[in-house]
Amino acid sequence: MENTERYINALIEGDDFVIKEIYSKIYPKIASYIFSNKGNTDDALDVFHDALMYIIITQKEKRTIILSFEAYLFVICKNIWKKSLKNRVIKTDVSTLEEKETDLSTIILEQQCIEFYLEKFNLLSINCKDILSSYFNGASYEELVIEYAYSTINTVRQRVFKCRSKLIELIKSDLEFQKIKKWGEF
């Protein structure tokens, strides 16, 4: 947590010494991930830079609690790289700055949606979080009956339905949802 605040402040203030420390400590791990997933040095540098820009933009706008800077940065890099791979088409021309800004904006919006969802998900009861996590990760109703010691499949279905309904209610009742929904329509 201590380094987290130091790193975020350094990024926002442009402290070259600490930014070089971030590159030397964390970039090799990100580069290794990119290399093992069909990327090269340029890809790794672009992803790392875009992730740092994302952190600067979002943390200037609204400071959020980040427990582990390294883990947070890794997840952002991973999301950026996955999106890049998904949209990758062999191009012979160089992408323009405008395209990169649009891509970064999309990534920022997607990351904000993920963070918003997780914030609402964490408001659920422990039981709801557990059962929905299992369900969303592909567990069948039959498996949930055994895992959570419910009496019937129908009971599990009702519990999943109630938990999902509660999550949807939490999401839709938040004013932030309307903003996100509006931005997603563009």
Side-chain angles (χ1 to χ4, degrees), residues 136-174:
F136 291 152
N137 284 315
S140 68
Y141 289 126
E142 292 82 5
E143 292 169 323
L144 294 175
V145 166
I146 296 166
E147 185 176 347
Y148 296 101
Y150 282 105
S151 57
T152 66
I153 290 176
N154 194 36
T155 306
V156 172
R157 280 192 180 111
Q158 288 174 354
R159 187 69 187 142
V160 169
F161 177 79
K162 285 179 182 177
C163 290
R164 285 180 65 190
S165 296
K166 179 66 178 170
L167 178 59
I168 291 168
E169 176 187 322
L170 287 169
I171 290 170
K172 287 185 174 181
S173 67
D174 193 302

Side-chain angles (χ1 to χ4, degrees), residues 7 19 21-52 55 68-82 84-85:
Y7 288 162
I19 292 173
E21 181 183 330
I22 293 170
Y23 269 88
S24 67
K25 285 186 174 181
I26 304 172
Y27 172 75
K29 295 173 187 173
I30 303 301
S32 176
Y33 172 79
I34 301 294
F35 298 156
S36 66
N37 287 283
K38 303 177 185 174
N40 59 36
T41 303
D42 288 339
D43 295 328
L45 285 169
D46 286 346
V47 166
F48 195 75
H49 182 264
D50 287 349
L52 293 178
I55 291 172
S68 169
F69 180 84
E70 186 173 335
Y72 185 69
L73 180 58
F74 185 82
V75 168
I76 293 168
C77 288
K78 188 175 173 183
N79 289 341
I80 291 171
W81 184 240
K82 281 182 177 180
S84 177
L85 284 176

Side-chain angles (χ1 to χ4, degrees), residues 62-163:
K62 178 184 173 192
R63 289 300 280 260
T64 56
I65 296 172
I66 299 170
L67 299 179
S68 169
F69 180 84
E70 186 173 335
Y72 185 69
L73 180 58
F74 185 82
V75 168
I76 293 168
C77 288
K78 188 175 173 183
N79 289 341
I80 291 171
W81 184 240
K82 281 182 177 180
K83 178 150 179 66
S84 177
L85 284 176
K86 191 185 287 185
N87 295 330
R88 186 173 265 191
V89 177
I90 298 173
K91 294 182 180 182
T92 54
D93 61 333
V94 178
S95 60
T96 63
L97 182 57
E98 185 177 281
E99 287 172 339
K100 283 201 112 192
E101 282 181 18
T102 302
D103 289 345
L104 185 56
S105 297
T106 303
I107 290 166
I108 289 171
L109 181 61
E110 287 175 357
Q111 189 67 30
Q112 286 174 335
C113 288
I114 291 168
E115 289 169 6
F116 176 77
Y117 170 80
L118 289 174
E119 178 186 317
K120 298 306 166 197
F121 185 83
N122 285 326
L123 294 175
L124 295 171
S125 68
I126 292 171
N127 176 264
C128 273
K129 286 191 279 192
D130 289 345
I131 199 163
L132 285 180
S133 292
S134 297
Y135 179 74
F136 291 152
N137 284 315
S140 68
Y141 289 126
E142 292 82 5
E143 292 169 323
L144 294 175
V145 166
I146 296 166
E147 185 176 347
Y148 296 101
Y150 282 105
S151 57
T152 66
I153 290 176
N154 194 36
T155 306
V156 172
R157 280 192 180 111
Q158 288 174 354
R159 187 69 187 142
V160 169
F161 177 79
K162 285 179 182 177
C163 290

